[in-house]
Amino acid sequence: MKKTYLDHGATTQVNPDVLEVMLPFLGEFYGNPSSIHSFGRETKKALEEAREKVAAGIGAEPREIVFTSGGTESDNIAIRGVARALQKKGNHLITSAVEHHAVLDACLALKKEGYELTVLPVDEYGMVSAKDVEAAITDKTILISIMMANNEVGTVMPVAEIGKLARERGITFHTDAVQAIGLLPLDVNDLSCDLLSLSAHKFYGPKGVGILYVRKGAKLDVFNFGGAQERRMRPGTENVPGIIGMAKAVEVVVADREKRAARISSLRDKLIQGLLKIEDTKLNGHPEQRLPGNVNVSVKYVEGESMILSLDLKGIAASSGSACTSGSLDPSHVLIAMGLDHQLAHGSLRMTLGTDNTEEEIDYVLEVMPEIVARLRSMSSVYTGSKKE
Ligand SMILES: *Cc1c(COP(=O)(O)O)cnc(C)c1O
């Protein structure tokens, strides 16, 4: 059976050019970049070239790039680091109800430690309002963390506007841009952000490696101690092959971003239109301010999990809620924050498109989905009951 991968929001396949540049660093070039002999100097040089490439890709300076183990670690270093470093200045943090758990739970943990936390609501499209951010700011606010684009419903937030508000008031602004790079224009100066998180495996790089952009002058306390790597912000021997691959991945996705995003959006629109032809379905997320690859629909009277399993039998990989929360029976915190009732939230289906998806694959999904929904509904007492009334 041909496999159709529509879960690029969870992870992506390593680009062949990325794999190629990594291989020598899993073989021949194994020196520790902190060693001063020739083995170490070789990998050190490659590491610094990777830093330059990453910086160029997001409009930063090389010394503002900190290599980490991924999006989760970048978010935690940023949020906990700022909260601790600026605690003399204030104790108020602002975030939103639809952040990734790496941000939301880091903020909630700080609240337990005594920080004041404002968790902003979102509208029915999952959108955070810059006006709400502005209204929440107090003279004790030290950090605003709002994601660039939501991983579940694809809503693209007004982060440049929020960044400007923060900048005018001298408040540190962090954005989780894990889902955005390679799909949306991304320049740290246009965003006026002080900190920005990225994760390689979401943009055709390897797993377990990421980036924290730290603007020159931003204050961060550290929680891990050891070596002097990454300007002590992330001590520990660097994941050299991962970093080399990630830098190549940044180069590739930034280079052909516009063309790729346009192609993916047109497939996305076709998929959304086709799915909404199924009776009693609803689009989740913003109709326009939306990530090019994100499709999220709720199918009434059907469990998301059952759809995922039925699609899997047809070779189609999708998800329901986020990859991190599926497996638990709690409905997605994002959909609940958007005001969906539990039934619609449980009936959500996320399909996230990537570089290699084709129109034939979308046609195939649209061919099998009506049958799957009809079969699952025929087994649902809620559905058959509703149709008798
Ligand atoms: C995947 C994801 C993360 C976590 O990144 P990891 O590298 O898997 O730890 C954080 N934020 C968002 C928005 C994500 O989609």
Side-chain angles (χ1 to χ4, degrees), residues 9 69-73 75 100 102 147 149 151 176 178-179 199 201-202:
S69 70
T72 300
E73 189 182 23
D75 286 342
H100 189 276
M147 69 200 323
N151 47 304
D176 177 332
V178 170
Q179 293 286 333
S199 172
H201 75 100
K202 302 288 177 78

Side-chain angles (χ1 to χ4, degrees), residues 5-13 100 151 178-179 199 201-203 207 318-319 321-324 326 350 352:
Y5 187 76
L6 292 174
D7 203 11
H8 292 84
T11 198
T12 58
Q13 184 179 19
H100 189 276
N151 47 304
V178 170
Q179 293 286 333
S199 172
H201 75 100
K202 302 288 177 78
F203 59 92
K207 291 168 183 58
S319 81
S322 74
C324 322
S326 41
R350 181 186 78 165
T352 37

Side-chain angles (χ1 to χ4, degrees), residues 107-123:
C107 288
L108 290 170
L110 288 166
K111 186 180 177 184
K112 276 204 182 130
E113 291 171 22
Y115 286 85
E116 273 187 46
L117 176 65
T118 301
V119 180
L120 294 172
V122 292
D123 69 10

Side-chain angles (χ1 to χ4, degrees), residues 320-346:
S320 122
S322 74
C324 322
T325 49
S326 41
S328 86
L329 286 175
D330 293 337
S332 139
H333 69 289
V334 174
L335 298 175
I336 295 301
M338 288 161 59
L340 266 73
D341 62 33
H342 278 240
Q343 198 199 3
L344 278 174
H346 274 300

Side-chain angles (χ1 to χ4, degrees), residues 367-388:
E367 182 191 314
V368 301
M369 263 301 278
E371 302 162 16
I372 289 174
V373 172
R375 189 176 53 79
L376 293 173
R377 280 180 176 166
S378 72
M379 304 187 307
S380 148
S381 58
V382 190
Y383 179 71
T384 43
S386 85
K387 294 295 149 178
K388 271 183 203 133

